[in-house]
Amino acid sequence: MKVLKRALIIFLIFTFLCGVVYTGVVTGLARLIFPDKANGSIIEVDGVKYGSSLLAQQYTDDSHMWGRIMNLDVSTYKDENGKPLVYAGPSNLSPESDEYAQLVEERVEKIKASNPDMGDTPIPEDLVTCSGSGLDPHISPAAAEYQVKRLAKANDMSEDEVRDIINECTDGKFLGVFGEKTVNVLEVNLMLDSIIKD
């Protein structure tokens, strides 16, 4: 009985230390040192929240930059009022499957139709494939460049103006060495809409 009592006391102590104290200290420090990241990296302008720079949003119109394929689901989750909530995740489709090939083919046709000025220029693969999370907010600089002509025409801008916006929203390699340069699609679109200024 003594052993059980000691085990229970130790369990309660460690639950308090690891579950309450540690979590509170880490959360507090994160909010103090990195308030933007700790609160979801929300892009807020004049009191309006436009989304997180870490989560993709789906754009399919000509005046906005397109991101990667998103696997949206509105049938799985509902809020307390019964309204559907948007959920996204990986497709889990094998690159060898017919369904995956059809998905890529449909996306290729859609992108070609929306970017007729690009002719036979190869479409960057991240514009026709899904990321592991299904919510990747970034595309490659090549995928962004592929859309410049369309964006310039649709927004009555010069191609150089669009490229300047893309450059503003391009992140370099991690520590200058790891990974690749990426372009944040939401930030580009908010700048195209003049919501975020240079």
Side-chain angles (χ1 to χ4, degrees), residues 83-101:
K83 292 183 180 176
L85 296 173
V86 176
Y87 170 81
S91 68
N92 292 328
L93 295 173
S94 164
E96 300 299 320
S97 74
D98 292 337
E99 192 177 347
Y100 184 82

Side-chain angles (χ1 to χ4, degrees), residues 30-41:
R31 287 192 172 171
L32 184 68
I33 300 169
F34 310 106
D36 178 58
K37 288 181 173 53
N39 291 312
S41 299

Side-chain angles (χ1 to χ4, degrees), residues 116-134:
D117 292 333
M118 295 309 291
D120 293 328
T121 304
I123 299 170
E125 70 176 51
D126 49 327
L127 285 178
V128 296
T129 57
C130 178
S131 67
S133 68

Side-chain angles (χ1 to χ4, degrees), residues 19-65:
V20 179
V21 176
Y22 174 77
T23 306
V25 168
V26 170
T27 302
L29 284 173
R31 287 192 172 171
L32 184 68
I33 300 169
F34 310 106
D36 178 58
K37 288 181 173 53
N39 291 312
S41 299
I42 301 297
I43 297 175
E44 184 173 345
V45 181
D46 298 329
V48 179
K49 295 177 180 175
Y50 290 95
S52 170
S53 63
L54 303 176
L55 294 174
Q57 293 187 21
Q58 192 168 48
Y59 292 91
T60 56
D61 61 296
D62 286 344
S63 61
H64 290 102
M65 180 171 282

Side-chain angles (χ1 to χ4, degrees), residues 49-171:
K49 295 177 180 175
Y50 290 95
S52 170
S53 63
L54 303 176
L55 294 174
Q57 293 187 21
Q58 192 168 48
Y59 292 91
T60 56
D61 61 296
D62 286 344
S63 61
H64 290 102
M65 180 171 282
W66 295 10
R68 300 191 72 171
I69 293 175
M70 294 178 65
N71 297 307
L72 299 177
D73 173 15
V74 292
S75 63
T76 305
Y77 298 105
K78 298 186 184 326
D79 67 11
E80 61 273 3
N81 299 319
K83 292 183 180 176
L85 296 173
V86 176
Y87 170 81
S91 68
N92 292 328
L93 295 173
S94 164
E96 300 299 320
S97 74
D98 292 337
E99 192 177 347
Y100 184 82
Q102 183 180 348
L103 178 69
V104 170
E105 188 178 327
E106 288 171 4
R107 181 71 171 199
V108 165
E109 292 306 316
K110 191 173 184 180
I111 288 173
K112 281 184 176 178
S114 292
N115 297 276
D117 292 333
M118 295 309 291
D120 293 328
T121 304
I123 299 170
E125 70 176 51
D126 49 327
L127 285 178
V128 296
T129 57
C130 178
S131 67
S133 68
L135 285 171
D136 190 342
H138 299 97
I139 57 175
S140 65
E145 176 63 30
Y146 187 90
Q147 303 177 68
V148 166
K149 291 181 185 296
R150 169 176 56 82
L151 292 171
K153 278 186 178 178
N155 290 287
D156 196 26
M157 301 168 78
S158 72
E159 291 181 18
D160 285 340
E161 286 175 312
V162 174
R163 286 190 183 98
D164 287 343
I165 289 173
I166 290 169
N167 289 334
E168 285 276 325
C169 302
T170 299
D171 297 323

